[in-house]
Amino acid sequence: MTDTPIAEMTFEQAMKELETVVAQLERGDVPLEDSIKLYERGAELKKRCETKLKEAEEKVAAITLDGDGAPTGTKPVEGL
Amino acid sequence: MSDLIDDAPEGVNAPEYSVSEISGAVKRTVEGAFAHVRVRGELGRVSRPRSGHVYLDLKDDRAVLSGVIWKGVAARLATQPEEGLEVIATGRLTTFPGQSKYQIVIEDIRPAGMGALMAMLEKRKAQLQAEGLFEAARKKPIPYLPEVIGVVTSPSGAVIRDILHRLRDRFPRKVLIWPVAVQGEKCAPEVARAIAGFNALTPGGALPRPDLLIVARGGGSIEDLWGFNEEIVARAAAASEIPLISAVGHETDTTLIDFVADQRAPTPTAAAELAVPVRHELLAWTEAQGARLGQALSAQLRYRGERLRDLSRALPRPETLVEQARQRLDWLGGRLPVALSRGVDRRRLRLSELSGSLRPSGLRQSVAGEARRLEGLGARLGPALGRLVVRRREGFSAVAGRLRTDVLGADVVQKRREVDQLAERLDRVARLQLKDWREALEAQDRLRLTLGYEATLQRGYAVVRGDGDVVTTKAAASKAAALEIQFADGRLSVGGKPAKKAGGKDKPPEQGSLF
């Protein structure tokens, strides 16, 4: 188990952790109380995964460059 | 042939040229004869001063030819001149009279066949490989779900559109496009700069630093793609801290950047596929995990429930545990009333035994015995008391015989006489004492009168008082408001100076003491 709080996990971390939790629970060799805790943790991880999956926003911008080729900002890109 | 003819040395009568003339002639000749040539050679030293023109050497194993590519031409070239590259340069020869030089002004430059280009690429590749830039250990993992993707490509064209479409289908993300030229002379420096530029951004800033880079270009000729074979591009990609996916050309095209990239995608679309997972698949996966989680928990509970039942079956029935005790209880319980009545019977028997010996005749007999004893003792009581009184009276008589009243009477008369004498003496002494004290007192009073001023008044003196105080001088008398003269037989007030103020005020405060 990682020490990162679930709310700060990246999608990948939460996903891996969820896999671990499910596998552990399915193995069935944990004490009953721990398995309830595992279940709760799994549910939280699942929620985190869903949250990250819902943050699916497309935003496309092109970097604008000055005469020397250094970035100065962005301009939105549309119609691509 | 003839000594007579003094032949002038050959050419002496040829016209003389000035240096400029001959230079100009050479120039005309050279430029006329070589107005359009194709020269094959290996590129030697290539320099690009700020003017934008490119100066280079074309050489083979025996000769060197200087060349120049004017700025405008250089920008259009498909193949950028590079040291060591075997090329065919097309152009015209010209001279440079100021330095007695000639050169080729190159209009176009192409690799001298595929082999030449590839040979050079191989050489470069071998060098970078020797430096370890292709090592698998150097390759960074591509983030599973990047938040911001930086794309280095042409801002217009199919490539960026393909990438964005595929991202949209799979998992829409934030995309920053760094526009670059994807062919020509500017391609390599711009791409290298874009990669470094993305790395220089701060995460979460106004320009957020991407967590994944895609360097992409559509298909084209080997010359078109050549910029991605340039060493600066390969080195920039190797130096990138951000994981980088290269997607240059079609699947069959391999450029140098592909070897140093952390991941090579055959096409830009494939790069987008490598960049992000499919969102709805992940949603489904997450759902499935959730379901498995629930199932695993209920399986756990079910399993434990079964196990509990199994164990409880193996447990002996509680009835069997208590049966024996209950039987014993029953047995004892059955015996209890019997035991009780038997115990009562036994006690009752003993009671009747005891009560049988308890009869009124016995009691009366006992009372009579006690009464007789009492009578005996009572009879002895009277004589004993009499004897005691007689004994005491005998003792008293013996003492009383010794008590004589005549002695006592004589003593009383004697003492009374003594008291009378003492009383008489006391009376006499008291009277004498009193007389002495009275005489002494009178003598003292006489003395007092002779010493006081009143006695003096008897002899004709008087005391003058003014305003209450004794006046002893004329000055004091004349000041006083009123005077008073005291004679032996009384006091007389005489007028003095009239009182300045009301008489009440002038009354001596001591006046009261006259009374």
Side-chain angles (χ1 to χ4, degrees):
Chain A
M1 286 208 198
T2 57
D3 292 335
T4 316
I6 289 174
E8 291 168 22
M9 282 185 178
T10 64
F11 175 79
E12 197 183 2
Q13 280 175 316
M15 189 176 83
K16 284 196 172 140
E17 188 73 9
L18 179 56
E19 263 176 342
T20 314
V21 165
V22 170
Q24 241 178 317
L25 203 57
E26 283 177 341
R27 253 198 332 270
D29 53 2
V30 280
L32 189 61
E33 270 152 52
D34 290 358
S35 60
I36 287 164
K37 274 186 207 142
L38 270 179
Y39 175 81
E40 283 168 351
R41 185 169 169 80
E44 259 186 275
L45 287 163
K46 176 179 173 254
K47 219 172 119 194
R48 176 66 182 166
C49 286
E50 283 170 344
T51 307
K52 293 306 281 181
L53 290 177
K54 277 174 192 150
E55 288 172 7
E57 179 204 10
E58 183 188 78
K59 206 167 141 192
V60 182
I63 288 178
T64 52
L65 302 169
D66 63 14
D68 296 329
T72 54
T74 59
K75 58 172 190 218
V77 172
E78 274 155 26
L80 282 178
Chain B
M1 289 192 249
S2 167
D3 295 328
L4 292 175
I5 300 164
D6 189 15
D7 283 341
E10 240 179 288
V12 165
N13 61 346
E16 286 174 3
Y17 291 98
S18 69
V19 176
S20 293
E21 282 166 353
I22 191 71
S23 292
V26 168
K27 189 175 182 69
R28 276 190 300 278
T29 307
V30 168
E31 289 184 355
F34 305 102
H36 183 83
V37 288
R38 293 177 76 228
V39 183
R40 180 184 184 127
E42 189 189 325
L43 286 176
R45 178 189 53 85
V46 178
S47 70
R48 297 165 184 269
R50 287 186 62 86
S51 63
H53 311 313
V54 180
Y55 300 95
L56 49 78
D57 287 344
L58 274 170
K59 59 182 183 180
D60 58 19
D61 51 352
R62 280 173 300 173
V64 175
L65 173 63
S66 296
V68 62
I69 309 171
W70 301 125
K71 187 178 169 184
V73 176
R76 286 202 313 266
L77 288 178
T79 304
Q80 289 301 313
E82 196 165 331
E83 228 172 288
L85 182 62
E86 183 95 16
V87 294
I88 295 167
T90 307
R92 58 192 168 86
L93 289 190
T94 180
T95 66
F96 188 45
Q99 283 183 10
S100 183
K101 282 186 175 171
Y102 71 100
Q103 61 183 7
I104 179 170
V105 177
I106 297 169
E107 302 291 343
D108 190 19
I109 196 164
R110 286 175 185 280
M114 223 38 172
L117 204 57
M118 284 306 151
M120 198 199 63
L121 182 58
E122 284 309 314
K123 207 170 81 187
R124 191 179 292 161
K125 210 161 88 183
Q127 193 202 334
L128 294 183
Q129 190 158 26
E131 287 179 32
L133 296 189
F134 302 166
E135 296 286 322
R138 281 182 55 93
K139 309 235 177 267
K140 293 170 285 296
I142 303 300
Y144 189 82
L145 180 58
E147 296 287 333
V148 181
I149 301 170
V151 182
V152 178
T153 192
S154 165
S156 58
V159 171
I160 186 64
R161 192 176 301 132
D162 287 350
I163 291 174
L164 292 177
H165 279 175
R166 191 47 62 96
L167 287 178
R168 202 170 295 145
D169 290 346
R170 291 171 70 87
F171 207 128
R173 295 278 81 184
K174 292 195 184 71
V175 176
L176 270 180
I177 302 168
W178 193 302
V180 291
V182 289
Q183 65 189 69
E185 186 201 12
K186 284 191 198 152
C187 170
E190 283 187 7
V191 169
R193 179 155 198 165
I195 294 171
F198 268 138
N199 274 279
L201 298 178
T202 38
L207 276 177
R209 186 182 195 246
D211 33 23
L212 176 67
L213 294 185
I214 297 174
V215 179
R217 193 210 187 279
S221 68
I222 184 75
E223 290 87 357
D224 289 341
L225 304 183
W226 196 254
F228 297 90
N229 280 323
E230 297 288 0
E231 193 175 337
I232 48 166
V233 171
R235 287 200 184 274
S240 176
E241 305 249 323
I242 305 172
L244 186 146
I245 298 174
S246 69
V248 176
H250 294 302
E251 187 154 8
T252 47
D253 301 322
T254 301
T255 51
L256 198 56
I257 193 176
D258 293 330
F259 293 97
V260 287
D262 297 302
Q263 182 94 46
R264 186 221 164 194
T267 60
T269 301
E273 287 170 3
L274 287 171
V276 292
V278 180
R279 183 170 159 268
H280 67 81
E281 282 177 12
L282 289 177
L283 277 169
W285 177 88
T286 308
E287 279 308 310
Q289 291 291 312
R292 275 172 70 185
L293 202 62
Q295 281 159 13
L297 185 69
S298 46
Q300 280 275 305
L301 292 173
R302 204 165 45 240
Y303 164 73
R304 292 199 198 231
E306 277 164 16
R307 181 132 174 73
L308 180 64
R309 277 191 291 282
D310 288 350
L311 286 171
S312 62
R313 267 199 288 280
L315 217 58
R317 286 185 308 119
E319 289 82 359
T320 61
L321 290 176
V322 298
E323 262 163 10
Q324 209 173 359
R326 175 162 296 154
Q327 199 174 4
R328 200 165 136 69
L329 178 66
D330 286 346
W331 182 66
L332 289 171
R335 283 175 60 195
L336 192 63
V338 179
L340 184 65
S341 57
R342 193 175 299 161
V344 168
D345 285 351
R346 208 163 43 233
R347 276 169 182 74
R348 185 171 292 151
L349 184 66
R350 184 149 163 67
L351 179 65
S352 60
E353 276 172 13
L354 290 171
S355 61
S357 59
L358 190 71
R359 273 192 297 274
S361 61
L363 191 62
R364 262 198 300 278
Q365 207 170 356
S366 165
V367 167
E370 290 303 316
R372 266 197 306 277
R373 210 168 101 74
L374 185 64
E375 271 169 30
L377 288 172
R380 284 165 60 193
L381 195 61
L385 185 62
R387 276 198 301 279
L388 186 67
V389 168
V390 168
R391 211 158 43 234
R392 292 273 193 277
R393 187 171 290 154
E394 278 166 6
F396 175 71
S397 303
V399 175
R402 279 157 39 202
L403 192 71
R404 286 168 45 202
T405 50
D406 53 342
V407 179
L408 270 179
D411 193 37
V412 166
V413 169
Q414 174 69 26
K415 290 283 191 284
R416 189 170 288 149
R417 231 176 353 249
E418 283 172 23
V419 168
D420 288 345
Q421 280 171 2
L422 283 173
E424 202 176 337
R425 277 171 62 194
L426 180 66
D427 194 34
R428 205 163 50 239
V429 168
R431 250 177 301 168
L432 276 174
Q433 185 73 55
L434 213 54
K435 191 173 162 240
D436 288 349
W437 283 344
R438 188 170 292 134
E439 284 166 2
L441 186 61
E442 280 165 4
Q444 290 293 324
D445 193 45
R446 275 193 304 276
L447 186 61
R448 183 187 68 84
L449 290 173
T450 56
L451 290 176
Y453 73 91
E454 280 93 347
T456 316
L457 297 183
Q458 299 282 357
R459 299 203 305 269
Y461 294 94
V463 175
V464 182
R465 285 188 174 81
D467 300 338
D469 293 328
V470 174
V471 174
T472 54
T473 60
K474 177 183 163 261
S478 59
K479 263 189 222 157
L483 292 175
E484 190 189 54
I485 304 167
Q486 186 183 6
F487 298 98
D489 55 344
R491 298 187 180 203
L492 175 71
S493 290
V494 292
K497 281 182 87 173
K500 278 174 194 162
K501 293 188 177 166
K505 179 111 195 240
D506 290 331
K507 269 188 186 160
E510 293 92 347
Q511 196 151 14
S513 71
L514 298 177
F515 302 104

